[in-house]
Short mmCIF file of all heavy atoms in Angstrom, two decimals:
data_model
loop_
_atom_site.label_atom_id
_atom_site.label_comp_id
_atom_site.label_asym_id
_atom_site.label_seq_id
_atom_site.Cartn_x
_atom_site.Cartn_y
_atom_site.Cartn_z
N GLY A 31 14.75 -10.70 -14.13
CA GLY A 31 15.94 -11.37 -13.80
C GLY A 31 17.19 -10.39 -14.03
O GLY A 31 17.02 -9.30 -14.66
N TRP A 32 18.28 -10.88 -13.73
CA TRP A 32 19.60 -10.15 -13.98
C TRP A 32 20.15 -10.46 -15.37
O TRP A 32 20.62 -11.57 -15.48
CB TRP A 32 20.57 -10.51 -12.89
CG TRP A 32 20.11 -10.27 -11.41
CD1 TRP A 32 19.68 -11.12 -10.69
CD2 TRP A 32 20.36 -9.00 -10.70
NE1 TRP A 32 19.48 -10.55 -9.38
CE2 TRP A 32 19.93 -9.31 -9.43
CE3 TRP A 32 20.87 -7.72 -11.15
CZ2 TRP A 32 19.82 -8.19 -8.58
CZ3 TRP A 32 20.87 -6.83 -10.09
CH2 TRP A 32 20.36 -7.06 -8.79
N THR A 33 20.05 -9.62 -16.18
CA THR A 33 20.56 -9.87 -17.60
C THR A 33 21.90 -10.12 -17.59
O THR A 33 22.31 -11.28 -18.29
CB THR A 33 20.20 -8.57 -18.51
OG1 THR A 33 18.79 -8.35 -18.47
CG2 THR A 33 20.75 -8.97 -19.87
N TYR A 34 22.75 -9.47 -17.01
CA TYR A 34 24.24 -9.63 -17.15
C TYR A 34 24.83 -10.54 -15.97
O TYR A 34 25.67 -11.43 -16.24
CB TYR A 34 24.91 -8.27 -17.10
CG TYR A 34 24.56 -7.41 -18.29
CD1 TYR A 34 23.58 -6.46 -18.08
CD2 TYR A 34 25.03 -7.72 -19.59
CE1 TYR A 34 23.13 -5.66 -19.23
CE2 TYR A 34 24.54 -7.00 -20.66
CZ TYR A 34 23.77 -5.90 -20.50
OH TYR A 34 23.17 -5.17 -21.59
N LYS A 35 24.38 -10.26 -14.85
CA LYS A 35 25.06 -11.12 -13.66
C LYS A 35 24.61 -12.49 -13.74
O LYS A 35 25.47 -13.42 -13.49
CB LYS A 35 24.43 -10.64 -12.35
CG LYS A 35 25.08 -9.28 -11.81
CD LYS A 35 24.51 -8.90 -10.46
CE LYS A 35 24.92 -9.91 -9.33
NZ LYS A 35 24.39 -9.41 -8.15
N SER A 36 23.42 -12.98 -14.20
CA SER A 36 23.08 -14.34 -14.25
C SER A 36 23.24 -14.89 -15.70
O SER A 36 22.97 -16.14 -15.89
CB SER A 36 21.70 -14.52 -13.84
OG SER A 36 20.75 -13.89 -14.75
N HIS A 37 23.63 -14.00 -16.69
CA HIS A 37 23.84 -14.53 -18.07
C HIS A 37 22.63 -14.92 -18.69
O HIS A 37 22.59 -15.75 -19.68
CB HIS A 37 24.91 -15.64 -18.07
CG HIS A 37 26.23 -15.24 -17.52
ND1 HIS A 37 26.58 -15.68 -16.28
CD2 HIS A 37 27.28 -14.47 -17.98
CE1 HIS A 37 27.78 -15.22 -15.91
NE2 HIS A 37 28.16 -14.39 -17.01
N GLN A 38 21.47 -14.52 -18.10
CA GLN A 38 20.21 -14.77 -18.82
C GLN A 38 19.12 -13.83 -18.30
O GLN A 38 19.32 -13.26 -17.28
CB GLN A 38 19.73 -16.23 -18.47
CG GLN A 38 19.43 -16.42 -17.01
CD GLN A 38 18.78 -17.76 -16.72
OE1 GLN A 38 19.56 -18.83 -16.74
NE2 GLN A 38 17.48 -17.97 -16.51
N PHE A 39 17.95 -13.83 -18.98
CA PHE A 39 16.79 -13.17 -18.46
C PHE A 39 15.62 -13.99 -18.86
O PHE A 39 15.66 -14.72 -19.87
CB PHE A 39 16.80 -11.72 -18.87
CG PHE A 39 16.74 -11.45 -20.33
CD1 PHE A 39 15.54 -11.39 -20.94
CD2 PHE A 39 17.90 -11.43 -21.09
CE1 PHE A 39 15.42 -11.13 -22.33
CE2 PHE A 39 17.88 -11.22 -22.46
CZ PHE A 39 16.61 -11.08 -23.11
N SER A 40 14.51 -13.74 -18.19
CA SER A 40 13.29 -14.34 -18.52
C SER A 40 12.30 -13.40 -19.19
O SER A 40 12.32 -12.15 -18.87
CB SER A 40 12.53 -14.98 -17.25
OG SER A 40 13.39 -15.91 -16.71
N ALA A 41 11.50 -13.91 -20.07
CA ALA A 41 10.51 -13.00 -20.75
C ALA A 41 9.22 -13.77 -20.64
O ALA A 41 9.07 -14.96 -21.08
CB ALA A 41 10.83 -12.92 -22.23
N THR A 42 8.22 -13.21 -20.04
CA THR A 42 6.83 -13.90 -19.83
C THR A 42 5.83 -13.07 -20.45
O THR A 42 5.87 -11.75 -20.56
CB THR A 42 6.60 -13.99 -18.30
OG1 THR A 42 6.45 -12.71 -17.74
CG2 THR A 42 7.64 -14.79 -17.73
N ARG A 43 4.73 -13.76 -20.81
CA ARG A 43 3.56 -13.06 -21.49
C ARG A 43 2.34 -13.99 -21.29
O ARG A 43 2.40 -15.23 -21.45
CB ARG A 43 3.87 -12.79 -22.88
CG ARG A 43 2.61 -12.11 -23.64
CD ARG A 43 2.93 -12.01 -25.08
NE ARG A 43 1.84 -11.41 -25.88
CZ ARG A 43 1.87 -11.24 -27.16
NH1 ARG A 43 2.95 -11.54 -27.95
NH2 ARG A 43 0.71 -10.76 -27.86
N GLU A 44 1.21 -13.42 -20.95
CA GLU A 44 -0.05 -14.29 -20.74
C GLU A 44 -0.62 -14.40 -22.11
O GLU A 44 -0.79 -13.30 -22.89
CB GLU A 44 -0.98 -13.55 -19.78
CG GLU A 44 -0.53 -13.70 -18.37
CD GLU A 44 -1.63 -13.31 -17.34
OE1 GLU A 44 -2.73 -12.91 -17.79
OE2 GLU A 44 -1.25 -13.31 -16.17
N LYS A 45 -1.03 -15.57 -22.44
CA LYS A 45 -1.70 -15.78 -23.74
C LYS A 45 -2.43 -17.19 -23.62
O LYS A 45 -2.20 -17.90 -22.66
CB LYS A 45 -0.69 -15.98 -24.82
CG LYS A 45 -1.18 -15.80 -26.24
CD LYS A 45 -0.05 -15.76 -27.24
CE LYS A 45 -0.60 -15.58 -28.76
NZ LYS A 45 0.51 -15.75 -29.68
N TYR A 46 -3.36 -17.32 -24.48
CA TYR A 46 -4.13 -18.67 -24.53
C TYR A 46 -4.88 -18.91 -23.19
O TYR A 46 -4.47 -19.75 -22.34
CB TYR A 46 -3.15 -19.83 -24.80
CG TYR A 46 -2.34 -19.74 -26.14
CD1 TYR A 46 -1.05 -19.89 -26.13
CD2 TYR A 46 -3.06 -19.47 -27.24
CE1 TYR A 46 -0.30 -19.61 -27.27
CE2 TYR A 46 -2.36 -19.44 -28.59
CZ TYR A 46 -0.98 -19.45 -28.49
OH TYR A 46 -0.33 -19.32 -29.73
N ASP A 47 -5.83 -18.12 -23.13
CA ASP A 47 -6.75 -18.33 -21.82
C ASP A 47 -6.02 -18.02 -20.50
O ASP A 47 -6.33 -18.77 -19.65
CB ASP A 47 -7.46 -19.67 -21.88
CG ASP A 47 -8.34 -19.89 -23.20
OD1 ASP A 47 -8.97 -18.80 -23.57
OD2 ASP A 47 -8.37 -20.96 -23.68
N GLY A 48 -5.16 -17.11 -20.57
CA GLY A 48 -4.56 -16.79 -19.31
C GLY A 48 -3.30 -17.57 -19.02
O GLY A 48 -2.59 -17.37 -17.98
N ARG A 49 -2.95 -18.65 -19.89
CA ARG A 49 -1.69 -19.37 -19.59
C ARG A 49 -0.49 -18.62 -19.89
O ARG A 49 -0.52 -17.67 -20.88
CB ARG A 49 -1.69 -20.62 -20.60
CG ARG A 49 -2.85 -21.57 -20.17
CD ARG A 49 -2.79 -22.71 -21.09
NE ARG A 49 -3.86 -23.65 -20.79
CZ ARG A 49 -4.09 -24.83 -21.43
NH1 ARG A 49 -3.28 -25.22 -22.41
NH2 ARG A 49 -5.11 -25.66 -21.10
#
Side-chain angles (χ1 to χ4, degrees):
W32 300 97
T33 300
Y34 299 100
K35 283 181 66 174
S36 63
H37 304 104
Q38 71 174 72
F39 61 91
S40 296
T42 64
R43 179 182 176 186
E44 289 191 3
K45 198 176 180 182
Y46 303 122
D47 299 324
R49 296 180 182 178

